[in-house]
Amino acid sequence: MTTRWGSCSPHSGEVRLSTRLAAFPDWVIDYVIVHELAHLVIDGHGHEFWELVHRYPKSERAIGYLIAMSGDDDTH
């Protein structure tokens, strides 16, 4: 996995994380896990999806961290 922080296959329930996350703080890794697990409940990145993801209290902070680490504004 070189272009995404994580991925989820809803049909199998499999979540994959980039090995690049290993050097990141736990709260960022937790965010990526929350983000991917949310796809098991809601497909896509619509309003309901983000409402669910943002229940993780450090989601905004983690998104900012991932943006800074990627040099890009797409953390999905």
Side-chain angles (χ1 to χ4, degrees):
M1 187 175 305
T2 60
T3 60
R4 296 178 183 237
W5 300 114
S7 67
C8 177
S9 299
H11 65 280
S12 68
E14 183 175 279
V15 171
R16 294 180 183 207
L17 301 177
S18 171
T19 56
R20 296 177 296 157
L21 291 171
F24 293 0
D26 289 346
W27 53 271
V28 174
I29 298 168
D30 289 347
Y31 162 77
V32 175
I33 293 168
V34 166
H35 180 108
E36 299 308 333
L37 290 176
H39 284 301
L40 296 176
V41 179
I42 302 169
D43 193 27
H45 292 102
H47 180 72
E48 289 181 37
F49 172 83
W50 288 113
E51 281 186 347
L52 180 59
V53 170
H54 288 309
R55 291 172 62 186
Y56 175 60
K58 294 184 179 178
S59 63
E60 290 295 331
R61 183 176 174 199
I63 290 168
Y65 185 97
L66 292 170
I67 289 169
M69 295 307 287
S70 70
D72 170 336
D73 67 357
D74 183 11
T75 60
H76 313 119

